[in-house]
Amino acid sequence: MPLLELEDGAMLAYADQGAGPPVLLVHGWAAHGGFFDSLRDRFSKTHRVIVPTLRGHPGAGHGPAPLTIETLGSDLAQLAEALDLHGLTAIGWSMGAMAVWAGSERLSERLQAIVVTEMGPKLVNCDEWRLGLGGGYTLDDAAATLNDIRTDWPAYVARFAPRMFSSETRMNSPELVRWATEEMTKADSSAMAALWSSMVNQDFRPALREIAAPTLVIRGGASSVHPDGATQFVAAATRGMRVTIPGAGHVPHLEAPDLFFELVEAFARNPRRRDALGEGVRP
C-alpha cells in the first residue's frame, strides 16, 4: 500500500486502484479504508479510486499534529495535491464527510462533486439546534461518551457498532455486524477520544453554504444516528440533492451496496443533473 509523507512528517497509507476520473473514499470514525473494499473494487473498473486510512485509525499512525477534524481535512487536501487529482468526486461517510468539509476550501479547485453519507453539520443538540445526534444528544452526553471510550473501548464498541446498522441488517447479516464491530475494536481509544471530542465541537452550518461543488446527500432510511432533518439541512445548505436508501442504517454502502453504488456512480457521472438519480432524489 502506498505511503504519503504529510507536512508534519506523519505517514498516510492509502489504496490507489484503477484508472479514470478520480474518486476519493473517506471512511468514518473508528473505521479504516477496508470498510470500502467492495466499493473500491466496483468503482475501479471505470475510475481511479483513492482510499486513505485516516490518521489515528487502525493501520495508520498519529503524527505530531493534533487529532482533529481540521487535521484530517488538511491530510486529505495534501493527498489530493500530492497525487495531482483533478475532477475529484469525494465521498465522505459519517466523520469522513466532516473531514471532506474541513478540507474543502483547500480542495476546492480539484473537486468536481461531494457525496455526504449519513452526516449532519453539528452533532450536539442545544436550544437553537435540535437536529444533532438521535436521542437529543447534548454536551453532557458527549462527556459521558468520552468517559466510556477511555474507560473500556471494547465494551463501548460492542454497544455502539451494532447500532450503526438497521434492525433488518442486524437480523439478516449478523456476520457483517460482527466484522464491523471487530474491526472498530482495533482502534486506539485515546485517538478515538480525541477525534470524538473534535467532532462534537464542530459546527459546519455556516461553512456548508460556502461549498460550491455539487453535493449529493445519502441517508439511510432506517438510521437512528442522525434525524431526517439533519441530512435535509445539509442538502439545502449546499443547494444539493438528497436520496434515502430504504432499509439501510448508518452504513448504507455496506447494507445496500448495489443501490449505493448505482446512485453514487450516476451522480459522479453527471453531478449537475438534478434528474440523474431518478424520482428518489429531492432538494
Side-chain angles (χ1 to χ4, degrees), residues 38 182 194 217 275:
S38 177
E182 291 168 0
V217 181
D275 62 341

Side-chain angles (χ1 to χ4, degrees), residues 53-65:
T53 288
L54 300 171
R55 73 165 74 206
H57 288 79
H62 293 191

Side-chain angles (χ1 to χ4, degrees), residues 68-222:
T68 64
I69 298 300
E70 291 79 6
T71 298
L72 300 185
S74 174
D75 291 349
L76 294 178
Q78 291 175 58
L79 177 62
E81 291 164 1
L83 299 180
D84 197 25
L85 303 177
H86 294 275
L88 177 65
T89 297
I91 303 168
W93 162 47
S94 193
M95 185 199 71
M98 276 195 172
V100 172
W101 292 335
S104 61
E105 183 175 1
R106 187 166 168 181
L107 282 166
S108 60
E109 293 184 357
R110 300 177 182 275
L111 279 173
Q112 170 189 255
I114 295 174
V115 177
V116 175
T117 305
E118 270 289 306
M119 195 57 178
K122 178 177 169 66
L123 300 190
V124 173
N125 293 277
C126 57
D127 289 343
E128 51 82 34
W129 176 252
R130 297 294 185 185
L131 298 175
L133 289 177
Y137 195 84
T138 66
L139 281 175
D140 287 341
D141 295 315
T145 298
L146 288 169
N147 181 66
D148 289 346
I149 291 170
R150 293 169 176 140
T151 301
D152 191 339
W153 173 246
Y156 176 78
V157 175
R159 296 192 303 273
F160 166 78
R163 293 201 300 267
M164 296 193 307
F165 297 91
S166 70
S167 58
E168 180 180 340
T169 301
R170 292 196 298 270
M171 179 176 64
N172 294 331
S173 302
E175 68 287 347
L176 173 62
V177 178
R178 282 195 300 271
W179 175 83
T181 302
E182 291 168 0
E183 292 302 302
M184 295 178 80
T185 302
K186 297 174 183 177
D188 176 73
S189 61
S190 60
M192 294 306 100
L195 285 167
W196 189 263
S197 180
S198 179
M199 270 199 293
V200 298
N201 283 291
Q202 300 294 329
D203 184 353
F204 279 96
R205 287 177 291 174
L208 291 181
R209 302 188 189 280
E210 303 302 318
I211 292 176
T215 296
L216 171 65
V217 181
I218 297 179
R219 172 182 175 265

Side-chain angles (χ1 to χ4, degrees), residues 248-261:
H250 187 59
V251 202
H253 68 279
L254 293 179
E255 297 177 86
D258 292 340
L259 180 54
F260 185 91
F261 172 75

